[in-house]
Amino acid sequence: MKNIKELKTLIDKDELTEKIKNLADEINKYYSSNYSENEELTVVCVLKGAVMFFAELSKYLKMPVRMEFVSLSSYGAGEKSSGRVSALNLSLPPLENKNVLVVEDIMDTGLTLKFLLDFIETKCRAKDVKLAVMCDKKCARKYDISPDFYALDVDDKFIVGFGLDYNELYRNIPYIGYFE
Ligand code: IMP
Ligand code: MG
């Protein structure tokens, strides 16, 4: 158990929401320059961690949005990836010929999103699949994958808040912080 009084701010609430808004602009630009403004987008939220980022980001998307949820887990207890992905819920509607944006809290080793991307690309025959993450921890990458869109670069620190947890706690914190 960590002491919440020792939580330091990495990025505050206002700065984070501004970055997410800017990211939504970038995503809107990509879809409006490649597809018609009426083309729907299926936004897939990776539970549980992406829930706050997904809610904030989707408020600013301008195309018709369909919201879907999958539930995956790759972290064991604590601060290290288990190296395995558990798929707790992978049910998605038919995505044939659809534009899909997968939304995740953080890309760390890349295992979780590689797994989900492979699943969507092989099983669902979508038209266009893109990845948007709130935090890109590039220095921890072990798999050949990178996000198409990300709101912030983070270094190799274990962070919590805005959906990110430590042993299932602290997801509710409205900013991103770390324990020293
Ligand atoms: P990956 O599969 O190694 O890329 O790990 C991705 C998952 O690990 C994320 O969806 C998070 O749930 C978790 N994770 C990775 N780094 C952190 C962190 O710094 N804080 C909280 N969770 C993390
Ligand atoms: Mg996660």
Side-chain angles (χ1 to χ4, degrees), residues 23 26-27 30-31 100-102 107 113 117 121 128-133 136 141 145-151:
L23 186 69
E26 203 186 309
I27 293 171
Y30 168 75
Y31 287 101
V100 178
L101 180 68
V102 175
M107 191 184 281
L113 286 174
L117 200 64
E121 281 175 347
D128 179 351
V129 185
K130 293 281 179 281
L131 299 176
V133 302
D136 189 6
R141 200 77 83 250
I145 186 169
S146 53
D148 299 287
F149 307 99
Y150 64 92

Side-chain angles (χ1 to χ4, degrees), residues 46-50 72-74 104-106 112 164-165 171:
V46 184
L47 294 171
K48 302 170 191 167
L72 298 177
S73 171
S74 73
E104 173 62 312
D105 51 3
I106 186 165
T112 308
L164 292 155
D165 73 304
R171 295 191 198 273

Side-chain angles (χ1 to χ4, degrees), residues 43-100:
V43 184
V44 178
C45 173
V46 184
L47 294 171
K48 302 170 191 167
V51 68
M52 290 233 214
F53 172 53
F54 170 84
E56 188 63 26
L57 179 75
S58 40
K59 287 193 251 176
Y60 306 108
L61 297 178
K62 299 213 168 110
M63 67 297 279
V65 163
R66 193 184 287 274
M67 293 181 165
E68 295 295 337
F69 299 85
V70 294
S71 186
L72 298 177
S73 171
S74 73
Y75 260 51
E79 301 182 4
K80 283 273 165 282
S81 171
S82 67
R84 278 175 295 113
V85 179
S86 320
L88 309 173
N89 170 27
L90 261 181
S91 53
L92 287 167
L95 295 174
E96 198 155 349
N97 229 12
K98 300 267 194 254
N99 288 339
V100 178

